Structure formats: C-alpha cells, structure tokens
Amino acid sequence: MTPFQALYGYLPPHLAFPVHSTTSVVSVQEYLQWGDHMLQLLKEDLLKAQDRMKFYADNSRCDRSFNVGDWVFLKLQPYRQSSVSLRNNLKLWARYYGPFEVLQKVGTVAYKLKLSIGSRIHPAFHVSQLKKKIGQHMIPSTSLPLLDTSGDFIVLHVVVLAYRESLR
C-alpha cells in the first residue's frame, strides 16, 4: 500500500498517459497533453531536488581507504549501547581505541582489524568508524573496554583509598 492510499483510502491518480494517443474529443486530448506536461515537470523537479541533496551530502563526505598493514584507531560509542549498566560520565570516556592493524578489506567500505585478545566485538568495521594513525602522537586508549557475558562493562578498581566500619 502506498502512503497516498493509506492516507486518502484510494489509489493515486495515474499520471503516466500514453504519449501518442489521439482522440476525437478536444478536451480529452488537452487533458492528456496537460497530464504529460505535468509529469515532465514533476520529473524535472524531482531530479533537481535529488541533485541538490547529493551535492550537499557529497560536500561533507570524504573517501577513506586503508591498505593491509595500516594502523587505524577505532571509534566506539559505549554510551549508545542499551546493554550498558554503568551510566556515570560515559560521554567523557575515550571515543577512539587502538591503534589496531588492518588485516583485510571486506567489501568496498569495510575493514577487518586485528583486535586485542579477549575482545568480544566483531572484527569487521565500516570505514566511517576508523581513523588512520598518522605519526607518533599520543595514543588515546590501548585496550577496548572489558565486557562480561551479559554485555555490561567490567569495572576494575585499582586501589582502595580508605575504608571505615559502621556499627549498627
């Protein structure tokens, strides 16, 4: 069912008329010519809108490609996962992890990475989630966040600063 039919309850009018149809009634002939003219105008406007949208989408698009053996950073957003139970300042956590080595190109826009042992995520990523490592700048994070079997973050406390006992 088309959106038009769902909204109005009947099929939309058919605008694709035969181009070379002739009738003896003048008003029918004018109606067929008008319909053909309107169809051409709609097609031209649709093509203009598509070209305009493609132009603005292509302005912000950059083509990225990596070779096997390149080192890339991986972009992860843990605060968007629904299985995350730890909710304190996840937006401030590291956004890029790595660097990881590119093992293989999968398709035209995906790459397989050599992730650290014990990581529980699939090793193939879209090119938009990768950033090439250039030079010897500071490494954001060397390891991926640890997850348990339910997909929640494992929080490891480094040191206990103090403790107290409560007598009740």
Side-chain angles (χ1 to χ4, degrees):
M1 179 181 293
T2 63
F4 184 93
Q5 186 178 3
L7 183 62
Y8 295 110
Y10 60 91
L11 289 172
H14 186 63
L15 293 177
F17 300 108
V19 177
H20 302 292
S21 62
T22 58
T23 62
S24 58
V25 181
V26 176
S27 62
V28 173
Q29 184 68 27
E30 290 174 357
Y31 178 72
L32 289 175
Q33 290 174 352
W34 173 82
D36 189 41
H37 179 68
M38 292 307 293
L39 188 60
Q40 292 301 321
L41 289 176
L42 289 172
K43 285 182 181 180
E44 289 173 9
D45 286 345
L46 184 61
L47 285 175
K48 284 181 189 176
Q50 287 175 345
D51 289 340
R52 187 171 48 248
M53 289 176 8
K54 183 176 179 347
F55 173 76
Y56 285 114
D58 288 345
N59 277 344
S60 62
R61 185 173 292 142
C62 63
D63 292 331
R64 294 184 203 165
S65 63
F66 305 106
N67 297 322
V68 175
D70 285 349
W71 290 87
V72 295
F73 292 109
L74 173 61
K75 182 178 183 181
L76 292 178
Q77 297 175 339
Y79 61 89
R80 290 204 177 178
Q81 295 175 354
S82 60
S83 63
V84 175
S85 62
L86 182 62
R87 297 274 184 207
N88 293 338
N89 297 328
L90 287 178
K91 287 187 177 183
L92 300 178
W93 280 20
R95 185 173 295 172
Y96 288 97
Y97 295 91
F100 299 106
E101 186 179 2
V102 175
L103 293 179
Q104 169 187 0
K105 184 173 183 175
V106 181
T108 56
V109 292
Y111 291 91
K112 186 174 183 181
L113 303 181
K114 182 180 180 182
L115 298 178
S116 57
I117 297 173
S119 63
R120 300 193 37 177
I121 55 178
H122 196 274
F125 296 95
H126 189 266
V127 70
S128 64
Q129 303 300 313
L130 304 175
K131 181 192 263 188
K132 188 169 186 169
K133 179 181 184 279
I134 300 173
Q136 297 295 328
H137 52 75
M138 188 176 76
I139 297 173
S141 177
T142 56
S143 63
L144 294 171
L146 299 174
L147 301 173
D148 61 6
T149 57
S150 64
D152 297 334
F153 285 118
I154 298 174
V155 179
L156 301 174
H157 300 288
V158 177
V159 65
V160 176
L161 298 176
Y163 72 94
R164 71 177 176 180
E165 293 181 18
S166 156
L167 300 174
R168 285 194 183 181

